[in-house]
Amino acid sequence: MSVKLFVTDLDGTLLPGGKTVSPENIRAVREAVRAGVTVTIATGRMYRAALPVAEALGVEVPIITYNGALIRSTSGRVYYRSDIQPGTVRRVVEFCRMRGWHVQTYSRDELYFAEYDDYARAYERDQQIRGHVVGWDGLMEHTEEVSKLLSITDGAEQTEARLHELREAFGREVSPVRSKANYAEIINPGVSKADGIRRLAETLGIAAADTMAIGDAENDLPMLKAAGRSVAMGNAVPEVREACDYVTSECEQNGFAVAVYRYVLGRE
């Protein structure tokens, strides 16, 4: 197969240390682009948080953000978006408020908190972005172009319980999913990184067989399975390593760049 679309996760894959792109990975991306490959990012992050990473690559890259709810290039071209209905946003916010859950919304690519608690502070540090503290009434006002809502918990068990409650209450109106142990994300049904890959490939006229994805975490599995070929990072969880066609070096060893040269460009 020839790889025409290469899709990468961010944390633990493209980003050694989770913060900045290494020079080695930047060079690998640029060489792939020069060879005619479209390189794209797929992440649960908001567009504004993913944009600095994409810009560091120095190429015009379409970014799959909000776990597939928004596909937008570094220059601002929107390829696809799937926003939650304003009425649904308000009902989910009220549902969380009544249970004392932390919830944050993303409206028009701005981040909003009801309260500036420890969850909000930790999220800002992790994503290197600042949100707006607007209170519960304020969350009810910012309901346009909401790509997702996020409820942050204290761990995987609490997250799973919260997801169960949301599914019971909202049925197929929204799709609650776990993206990290303590992240309960609320997006539209059918939205996923895997769907983002399929949509982008179709838009670009690229066959599914000519796509490749790389990742490390359990929540990357759908997109890895959706791609024509898949690569697991050396630091990937066992489930990812078992599901992928190839395994590269660890993130801290620039396994992303190794994968590009070996599996995309056919070099050793």
Side-chain angles (χ1 to χ4, degrees), residues 14 18 42 54 66 69 94 113 136 144 191 200 203 225-226 228 242 248 255:
L14 180 65
Y66 295 107
E94 177 63 13
F113 306 113
W136 290 101
E144 298 296 326
V191 168
L200 185 58
T203 298
K225 292 176 179 179
E242 292 170 8
T248 185

Side-chain angles (χ1 to χ4, degrees), residues 45-53 63 65-66 70 72 108-112 127-132:
R45 294 188 185 195
M46 60 192 300
Y47 174 80
R48 187 156 56 92
L51 184 59
V53 179
I63 316 170
T65 59
Y66 295 107
L70 176 65
R72 186 177 180 183
R108 296 185 171 127
D109 207 41
E110 292 288 340
L111 172 62
Y112 295 96
Q127 300 291 303
Q128 297 183 304
I129 200 162
R130 295 301 299 271
H132 308 281

Side-chain angles (χ1 to χ4, degrees), residues 115-134:
E115 301 169 353
Y116 198 57
D117 53 18
D118 289 342
Y119 300 117
R121 283 186 282 270
Y123 187 85
E124 285 185 331
R125 287 194 302 270
D126 181 65
Q127 300 291 303
Q128 297 183 304
I129 200 162
R130 295 301 299 271
H132 308 281
V133 185
V134 295

Side-chain angles (χ1 to χ4, degrees), residues 36-187:
V37 180
T38 297
V39 179
T40 188
I41 292 167
T43 178
R45 294 188 185 195
M46 60 192 300
Y47 174 80
R48 187 156 56 92
L51 184 59
V53 179
E55 290 178 333
L57 301 177
V59 294
E60 171 68 6
V61 183
I63 316 170
I64 300 171
T65 59
Y66 295 107
N67 276 323
L70 176 65
I71 305 175
R72 186 177 180 183
S73 72
T74 52
S75 64
R77 175 186 172 187
V78 174
Y79 288 76
Y80 172 77
R81 72 177 312 133
S82 178
D83 298 324
I84 303 171
Q85 289 294 322
T88 303
V89 173
R90 286 189 286 271
R91 289 195 299 277
V92 172
V93 168
E94 177 63 13
F95 186 84
C96 294
R97 185 187 71 81
M98 292 294 291
R99 286 156 179 76
W101 296 352
H102 170 93
V103 68
Q104 56 197 50
T105 64
Y106 305 77
S107 174
R108 296 185 171 127
D109 207 41
E110 292 288 340
L111 172 62
Y112 295 96
F113 306 113
E115 301 169 353
Y116 198 57
D117 53 18
D118 289 342
Y119 300 117
R121 283 186 282 270
Y123 187 85
E124 285 185 331
R125 287 194 302 270
D126 181 65
Q127 300 291 303
Q128 297 183 304
I129 200 162
R130 295 301 299 271
H132 308 281
V133 185
V134 295
W136 290 101
D137 289 342
L139 288 188
M140 292 291 192
E141 295 172 2
H142 296 283
T143 59
E144 298 296 326
E145 296 182 25
V146 172
S147 301
K148 76 172 185 180
L149 298 92
L150 174 65
S151 182
I152 303 178
T153 75
D154 294 322
E157 185 175 344
Q158 191 178 72
T159 300
E160 288 302 325
R162 199 163 291 188
L163 293 173
H164 177 74
E165 284 195 55
L166 287 163
R167 289 170 185 144
E168 286 287 308
F170 292 94
R172 297 183 179 180
E173 194 172 0
V174 294
S175 179
V177 296
R178 188 179 84 173
S179 59
K180 290 185 179 181
N182 60 329
Y183 282 8
E185 302 207 0
I186 299 112
I187 51 182

Side-chain angles (χ1 to χ4, degrees), residues 221 224-225 230 232 237-246:
L221 279 169
L224 292 167
K225 292 176 179 179
S230 55
V237 298
E239 294 85 352
V240 169
R241 294 170 67 96
E242 292 170 8
C244 288
D245 299 293
Y246 313 110

